[in-house]
Amino acid sequence: MSFIIGCDPELLCRRDGRYVPAHNYFKSNSSFGLDGCESIAECRPGYSESPIDPTAKLKAVIEYGHDKAPDLEFHAGHYVDDHPIGGHLHFSVQPEPDIVDALDIVLYSLSNCIDNKEQRQRRERSGYGKRKATRRKSYGFEYRTPGSWLLSPSTTLVTFTLAKLAILGVTEDQVDFEEVKGRQHSSTFLKNLKNSLVTIPDDCREGLKELDLLLTKKLDWNQNMLPNWGIGLN
Amino acid sequence: MEKTYCVSCNDVIRDSEIRWAFDDPYCESCFEEGYVYCSRCDGIVGRGDAHTDSNGDYYCSDCWDEQFDDDCPNNPHVSSADRTLIIELSRNWLLGKRTNRSLLKINKNDSMLPKIRDKIGLVEQPIYLFGLKDREEYDLSVSSNLIGSIKEFLLLNGLEWKVTEGVGCNRLGISLSLRQNNFSEVFKLVKYTTQLRIKEIAA
């Protein structure tokens, strides 16, 4: 079974270390646009079957945002400068309960390992990031739980990869992720995940390799993400 | 009593059925055919002048310009060079290393330049490629720091392309006829220039 992955992750803009509203710099309905309240920027990179391609598309879109407003820093995470920021994922499949459960178990485990928990809690308390939150769309559905994973191409690629594998695990291999996870720590569960999957497409192998390394890192979410994407270095 | 005629089809319209657009009376079907409402400001817009978003909603030009950035990349194409770069960036970030290579910068509105960019792949010091209209005076516009290597390549390959010195740094403009008819030579020229740049930096 093949399906398309898309997304509209948000990012917060700072200038000289201070929050600035994104609508001062960008227009709302563009691939580097604004979220509903227009204070946060939102990327709409397009879509693809492969986890690598939307990551590359996001680089092109973020690069455009930087070219348009080179003085700005961009920040990812769950809750920055009193603003909740999300990393919604889009899938061209129907939100069947077992698919949503699989995404919840796999991606919330990733969040447990790499996200800033204080930020995540503040976002949840502001009314966003509820577990298993979905919205039906004409193409399939939007998964609304994750915070913005745009910190680096690697956090982005691993998120797409795990999302794809969670859905394929259900639709192709009938994996019961709740049973596989059991009482394992999130990190142990993710390290062993590949052993529970039969269907691992070639375009997911890079993300799985990087997952192993990512799980060993302690991430600093309070940083300008642009250098991590190789943008604005010169 | 004076009759009202549709300014488009000239049919008589009953008062209760007149649709007005910019002080002109229309019958229902001609109005629907000729005009739409802006989904943001609700103003009347000629159908031919209206902008449409991906949901099929209409916008007047003012609202469109305020809301949409037409220069933003829309579902950008991903080449194998883009994939190589994103994986290199990802791995290096995980390893705490800086990525020193990138793709050539190009004017993306040109159909030939992305092919050159993708075929050249990752380089340590990218130059900026842009398209030129055909002119009598020159075929290539080259920034001063690249002009030596460009002239060297032309001499070595017996090419009699006319070169002019352009502004800036690391910039190479290529005429339309060269882009269309001499792809192979143009590709070799860019590759030669990029490799020389790397050697210069290494030296």
Side-chain angles (χ1 to χ4, degrees), chain B residues 135-140 150-164 175 177-178 182 185-186 189:
Chain B
R135 289 182 174 86
E136 285 286 316
E137 301 82 26
Y138 55 89
D139 304 301
L140 299 170
I150 297 285
K151 285 187 172 170
E152 189 178 275
F153 176 87
L154 297 180
L155 191 70
L156 289 171
N157 290 275
L159 296 167
E160 294 180 356
W161 298 348
K162 287 177 263 180
V163 179
T164 189
S175 71
S177 62
L178 287 186
N182 298 75
E185 290 94 339
V186 166
L189 168 71

Side-chain angles (χ1 to χ4, degrees), chain A:
Chain A
M1 175 205 166
S2 65
F3 60 93
I4 301 291
I5 305 169
C7 59
D8 57 353
E10 295 166 347
L11 47 88
L12 181 127
C13 305
R14 279 188 193 162
R15 189 169 180 221
D16 299 327
R18 293 184 156 216
Y19 161 77
V20 285
H23 64 76
N24 289 356
Y25 301 89
F26 306 108
K27 296 180 180 179
S28 59
N29 291 337
S30 307
S31 58
F32 195 102
L34 305 173
D35 81 329
C37 70
E38 305 207 333
S39 49
I40 303 291
E42 182 174 282
C43 298
R44 299 152 189 144
Y47 42 82
S48 173
E49 278 183 39
S50 155
I52 296 169
D53 284 15
T55 312
K57 286 170 191 279
L58 273 165
K59 180 177 187 294
V61 170
I62 296 165
E63 208 155 31
Y64 178 83
H66 170 69
D67 286 347
K68 203 168 173 199
D71 293 346
L72 298 186
E73 294 176 4
F74 295 150
H75 290 257
H78 280 257
Y79 200 89
V80 185
D81 295 343
D82 294 328
H83 289 84
I85 43 181
H88 300 163
L89 295 163
H90 305 157
F91 306 106
S92 66
V93 293
Q94 291 307 306
E96 305 297 347
D98 49 357
I99 286 180
V100 177
D101 288 350
L103 285 169
D104 176 64
I105 290 162
V106 173
L107 292 183
Y108 210 77
S109 294
L110 178 66
S111 173
N112 284 338
C113 296
I114 67 170
D115 283 348
N116 178 318
K117 306 282 193 341
E118 195 185 318
Q119 278 195 19
R120 187 172 77 182
Q121 193 179 54
R122 292 191 73 182
R123 177 165 172 256
E124 284 167 355
R125 286 184 181 171
S126 71
Y128 296 95
K130 184 176 175 287
R131 290 186 71 165
K132 301 187 188 184
T134 60
R135 194 173 277 178
R136 278 185 189 272
K137 296 282 182 177
S138 56
Y139 52 77
F141 78 101
E142 176 180 70
Y143 182 60
R144 298 170 57 80
T145 307
S148 175
W149 26 257
L150 280 176
L151 180 67
S152 77
S154 185
T155 50
T156 302
L157 176 61
V158 168
T159 300
F160 288 139
T161 301
L162 288 178
K164 179 165 181 171
L165 290 172
I167 294 176
L168 287 177
V170 172
T171 57
E172 300 299 304
D173 306 334
Q174 290 77 48
V175 175
D176 182 342
F177 284 96
E178 198 171 347
E179 193 183 306
V180 174
K181 167 101 176 36
R183 295 172 65 83
Q184 290 182 92
H185 187 274
S186 294
S187 176
T188 313
F189 163 64
L190 291 175
K191 276 180 199 155
N192 296 330
L193 183 65
K194 53 184 171 293
N195 304 325
S196 307
L197 302 169
V198 180
T199 306
I200 302 179
D202 285 346
D203 60 22
C204 290
R205 297 201 181 275
E206 176 64 25
L208 271 181
K209 262 190 239 165
E210 292 190 18
L211 170 66
D212 286 340
L213 260 177
L214 185 61
L215 292 173
T216 65
K217 275 179 86 88
K218 173 117 180 68
L219 303 188
D220 172 16
W221 286 87
N222 186 25
Q223 62 172 300
N224 178 15
M225 60 184 232
L226 287 172
N228 303 339
W229 288 83
I231 298 170
L233 294 172
N234 300 321

Side-chain angles (χ1 to χ4, degrees), chain B residues 141-152:
Chain B
S141 170
V142 186
S143 60
S144 59
N145 67 318
L146 299 181
I147 212 155
S149 61
I150 297 285
K151 285 187 172 170
E152 189 178 275

Side-chain angles (χ1 to χ4, degrees), chain B residues 38 40-41 51 59-68:
Chain B
C38 172
R40 187 161 177 257
C41 70
H51 298 266
Y59 293 85
C60 66
S61 289
D62 287 349
C63 288
W64 180 267
D65 288 343
E66 269 182 46
Q67 290 215 288
F68 293 85

Side-chain angles (χ1 to χ4, degrees), chain B residues 5-13 17-22 24-37 44-48:
Chain B
Y5 296 90
C6 170
V7 294
S8 179
C9 69
N10 228 20
D11 280 358
V12 176
I13 329 169
E17 290 172 355
I18 299 173
R19 302 287 301 272
W20 293 95
F22 307 109
D24 288 329
Y26 288 86
C27 68
E28 180 73 27
S29 67
C30 287
F31 181 88
E32 292 294 332
E33 205 174 293
Y35 296 95
V36 292
Y37 290 95
I44 292 173
V45 200
R47 197 175 276 275

